[in-house]
Amino acid sequence: MKDDTDSELVRRAQAGDTEAFGALVLAHQQFVYNLAWRALDDPHEAEDLAQEAFVRAWLALPNFRAQAQFRTWLYRIVTNLCYNRLPRLRRELTALGDPDLAEWPDAAQTDPALEVEHAEQRAHLYEAMDRLPESYRMLLLLRFQQGLPYEEIAMVTSLPLGTVKTGLHRARARLKVALRAYAEALELV
C-alpha cells in the first residue's frame, strides 16, 4: 500500500536518509507540480513552487508526526505556497458555500472515433477549468486529478467539509454549463 511505503520512507528520511526523501520526491513530484500548475496557471511558477515545497518539506520533516498522511501534509505545504502567491485564492476558498458532488465523467473508450471525440471534449473541459476562479480549480484538482477524498481536501485547504462539497458542486456546475455550450456549438456546425 502506498501509505505504508510513504510511512517507511518518511521514517527513514527523518533519520537522515536523503535517498528515502528522494524516493518521496519522485513519488509525489508530478502531483505537486500539477497542483501548483493548475493553481498558478504558469508552468515556470509551478516548477519553482514545487521545488520550494520539497525544500520546505525536507526542512520540516523532523516535525512531521504522521497525524495525517505524508501526501496530505505535502499538499498542504503546496496549497499554502499557492495561497502566498495568489492572495485572492484564499479569499475565494473561504467565500465558498454545501451540496453533493457526482463523480467526474470517465473518458475511457474503446472506439477510436469516440476516443478522439472525448479527447476534444477533455481539451475543452481543461480550457473551461482554466477560466474558473483559482479556488474552484484548486478544489477540482485535489478531488479529481489527485483523487483526494472530501475530508482530506478539507484538511489540505483548512476549509469545513461542507464548504469543500459546495465549492466542488459549484465548480462542476460551471463546467457543465461550459460543456453544454460546447455541445450546442458542435450541433450548429
Side-chain angles (χ1 to χ4, degrees):
M1 180 176 191
K2 176 115 174 91
D3 295 335
D4 293 338
T5 303
D6 278 359
S7 296
E8 175 60 22
L9 291 171
V10 166
R11 187 190 61 70
R12 289 178 32 212
Q14 285 177 319
D17 184 343
T18 57
E19 287 183 20
F21 187 74
L24 286 167
V25 170
L26 286 174
H28 296 280
Q29 68 184 358
Q30 192 62 49
F31 292 121
V32 167
Y33 172 78
N34 287 341
L35 177 58
W37 181 48
R38 283 287 176 196
L40 301 174
D41 199 27
D42 181 329
H44 301 293
E45 281 286 318
E47 286 176 19
D48 290 346
L49 189 136
Q51 288 177 355
E52 184 177 349
F54 284 115
V55 167
R56 287 190 182 203
W58 173 252
L59 295 173
L61 198 57
N63 300 322
F64 178 67
R65 298 286 175 243
Q67 294 169 334
Q69 295 176 14
F70 175 77
R71 173 181 75 170
T72 303
W73 180 72
L74 180 61
Y75 291 173
R76 181 69 190 154
I77 291 171
V78 174
T79 303
N80 284 337
L81 289 170
C82 288
Y83 286 158
N84 293 341
R85 294 194 185 191
L86 296 170
R88 120 176 139 250
L89 177 59
R90 183 176 289 279
R91 287 192 305 274
E92 286 178 5
L93 280 170
T94 56
L96 296 175
D98 174 357
D100 291 319
L101 179 69
E103 290 301 311
W104 195 262
D106 181 13
Q109 298 292 330
T110 55
D111 181 349
L114 284 176
E115 285 182 22
V116 169
E117 183 178 325
H118 284 274
E120 290 174 2
Q121 288 173 342
R122 278 191 307 277
H124 182 74
L125 176 67
Y126 290 131
E127 288 173 15
M129 283 178 66
D130 288 341
R131 291 190 297 270
L132 290 174
E134 286 101 358
S135 58
Y136 288 168
R137 284 197 320 258
M138 176 74 76
L139 292 174
L140 287 169
L141 178 67
L142 290 169
R143 175 69 177 145
F144 298 109
Q145 189 169 8
Q146 308 299 341
L148 299 183
Y150 297 136
E151 294 79 11
E152 200 168 340
I153 295 170
M155 286 191 302
V156 166
T157 60
S158 296
L159 293 173
L161 181 59
T163 302
V164 168
K165 289 181 178 181
T166 297
L168 285 166
H169 175 77
R170 290 178 180 172
R172 191 161 186 265
R174 286 187 180 194
L175 291 176
K176 280 183 181 178
V177 169
L179 290 176
R180 193 174 305 123
Y182 171 74
E184 289 171 0
L186 287 178
E187 289 176 9
L188 295 175
V189 174

PDB file of all heavy atoms in Angstrom, residues 33 75 81 88 95 112 117 148:
ATOM      1  N   TYR A  33       3.625  19.199  -8.781  1.00  0.00           N
ATOM      2  CA  TYR A  33       3.732  20.122  -9.920  1.00  0.00           C
ATOM      3  C   TYR A  33       2.358  20.400 -10.525  1.00  0.00           C
ATOM      4  O   TYR A  33       2.021  21.552 -10.799  1.00  0.00           O
ATOM      5  CB  TYR A  33       4.669  19.550 -10.987  1.00  0.00           C
ATOM      6  CG  TYR A  33       4.652  20.366 -12.252  1.00  0.00           C
ATOM      7  CD1 TYR A  33       5.349  21.570 -12.334  1.00  0.00           C
ATOM      8  CD2 TYR A  33       3.905  19.955 -13.357  1.00  0.00           C
ATOM      9  CE1 TYR A  33       5.305  22.338 -13.481  1.00  0.00           C
ATOM     10  CE2 TYR A  33       3.868  20.723 -14.506  1.00  0.00           C
ATOM     11  CZ  TYR A  33       4.561  21.910 -14.566  1.00  0.00           C
ATOM     12  OH  TYR A  33       4.503  22.674 -15.709  1.00  0.00           O
ATOM     13  N   TYR A  75       0.709  18.191   0.340  1.00  0.00           N
ATOM     14  CA  TYR A  75      -0.227  19.003  -0.436  1.00  0.00           C
ATOM     15  C   TYR A  75      -0.617  20.259   0.331  1.00  0.00           C
ATOM     16  O   TYR A  75      -0.877  21.302  -0.254  1.00  0.00           O
ATOM     17  CB  TYR A  75      -1.470  18.207  -0.812  1.00  0.00           C
ATOM     18  CG  TYR A  75      -1.214  17.113  -1.815  1.00  0.00           C
ATOM     19  CD1 TYR A  75      -2.192  16.210  -2.149  1.00  0.00           C
ATOM     20  CD2 TYR A  75       0.022  16.961  -2.440  1.00  0.00           C
ATOM     21  CE1 TYR A  75      -1.963  15.196  -3.060  1.00  0.00           C
ATOM     22  CE2 TYR A  75       0.261  15.950  -3.346  1.00  0.00           C
ATOM     23  CZ  TYR A  75      -0.744  15.074  -3.657  1.00  0.00           C
ATOM     24  OH  TYR A  75      -0.515  14.070  -4.566  1.00  0.00           O
ATOM     25  N   LEU A  81       1.752  27.519  -0.123  1.00  0.00           N
ATOM     26  CA  LEU A  81       2.614  28.291  -1.021  1.00  0.00           C
ATOM     27  C   LEU A  81       1.791  28.944  -2.135  1.00  0.00           C
ATOM     28  O   LEU A  81       2.067  30.087  -2.527  1.00  0.00           O
ATOM     29  CB  LEU A  81       3.710  27.397  -1.601  1.00  0.00           C
ATOM     30  CG  LEU A  81       4.791  26.960  -0.614  1.00  0.00           C
ATOM     31  CD1 LEU A  81       5.691  25.890  -1.227  1.00  0.00           C
ATOM     32  CD2 LEU A  81       5.617  28.158  -0.149  1.00  0.00           C
ATOM     33  N   ARG A  88      -5.660  36.104  -3.580  1.00  0.00           N
ATOM     34  CA  ARG A  88      -7.094  36.036  -3.832  1.00  0.00           C
ATOM     35  C   ARG A  88      -7.598  34.597  -3.747  1.00  0.00           C
ATOM     36  O   ARG A  88      -8.767  34.368  -3.494  1.00  0.00           O
ATOM     37  CB  ARG A  88      -7.370  36.730  -5.164  1.00  0.00           C
ATOM     38  CG  ARG A  88      -7.974  35.992  -6.230  1.00  0.00           C
ATOM     39  CD  ARG A  88      -8.260  36.896  -7.443  1.00  0.00           C
ATOM     40  NE  ARG A  88      -7.919  36.141  -8.618  1.00  0.00           N
ATOM     41  CZ  ARG A  88      -6.902  36.382  -9.399  1.00  0.00           C
ATOM     42  NH1 ARG A  88      -6.120  37.399  -9.187  1.00  0.00           N
ATOM     43  NH2 ARG A  88      -6.664  35.613 -10.423  1.00  0.00           N
ATOM     44  N   ALA A  95     -14.746  32.035   0.720  1.00  0.00           N
ATOM     45  CA  ALA A  95     -16.052  32.579   0.361  1.00  0.00           C
ATOM     46  C   ALA A  95     -16.991  31.520  -0.230  1.00  0.00           C
ATOM     47  O   ALA A  95     -18.125  31.826  -0.586  1.00  0.00           O
ATOM     48  CB  ALA A  95     -15.871  33.725  -0.642  1.00  0.00           C
ATOM     49  N   PRO A 112     -12.108   4.129 -31.466  1.00  0.00           N
ATOM     50  CA  PRO A 112     -11.178   5.228 -31.778  1.00  0.00           C
ATOM     51  C   PRO A 112     -11.884   6.551 -32.073  1.00  0.00           C
ATOM     52  O   PRO A 112     -11.394   7.614 -31.677  1.00  0.00           O
ATOM     53  CB  PRO A 112     -10.424   4.723 -33.004  1.00  0.00           C
ATOM     54  CG  PRO A 112     -10.527   3.241 -32.930  1.00  0.00           C
ATOM     55  CD  PRO A 112     -11.855   2.950 -32.287  1.00  0.00           C
ATOM     56  N   GLU A 117     -13.250  12.058 -30.045  1.00  0.00           N
ATOM     57  CA  GLU A 117     -14.297  12.963 -29.596  1.00  0.00           C
ATOM     58  C   GLU A 117     -14.113  13.310 -28.117  1.00  0.00           C
ATOM     59  O   GLU A 117     -14.202  14.468 -27.718  1.00  0.00           O
ATOM     60  CB  GLU A 117     -15.671  12.325 -29.814  1.00  0.00           C
ATOM     61  CG  GLU A 117     -16.831  13.217 -29.436  1.00  0.00           C
ATOM     62  CD  GLU A 117     -18.171  12.558 -29.713  1.00  0.00           C
ATOM     63  OE1 GLU A 117     -18.287  11.806 -30.710  1.00  0.00           O
ATOM     64  OE2 GLU A 117     -19.097  12.800 -28.913  1.00  0.00           O
ATOM     65  N   LEU A 148      -8.151  12.964  -4.036  1.00  0.00           N
ATOM     66  CA  LEU A 148      -8.301  13.086  -2.589  1.00  0.00           C
ATOM     67  C   LEU A 148      -9.771  13.015  -2.188  1.00  0.00           C
ATOM     68  O   LEU A 148     -10.631  13.581  -2.863  1.00  0.00           O
ATOM     69  CB  LEU A 148      -7.720  14.413  -2.090  1.00  0.00           C
ATOM     70  CG  LEU A 148      -6.237  14.669  -2.319  1.00  0.00           C
ATOM     71  CD1 LEU A 148      -5.833  15.993  -1.692  1.00  0.00           C
ATOM     72  CD2 LEU A 148      -5.386  13.541  -1.775  1.00  0.00           C
TER      73      LEU A 148
END
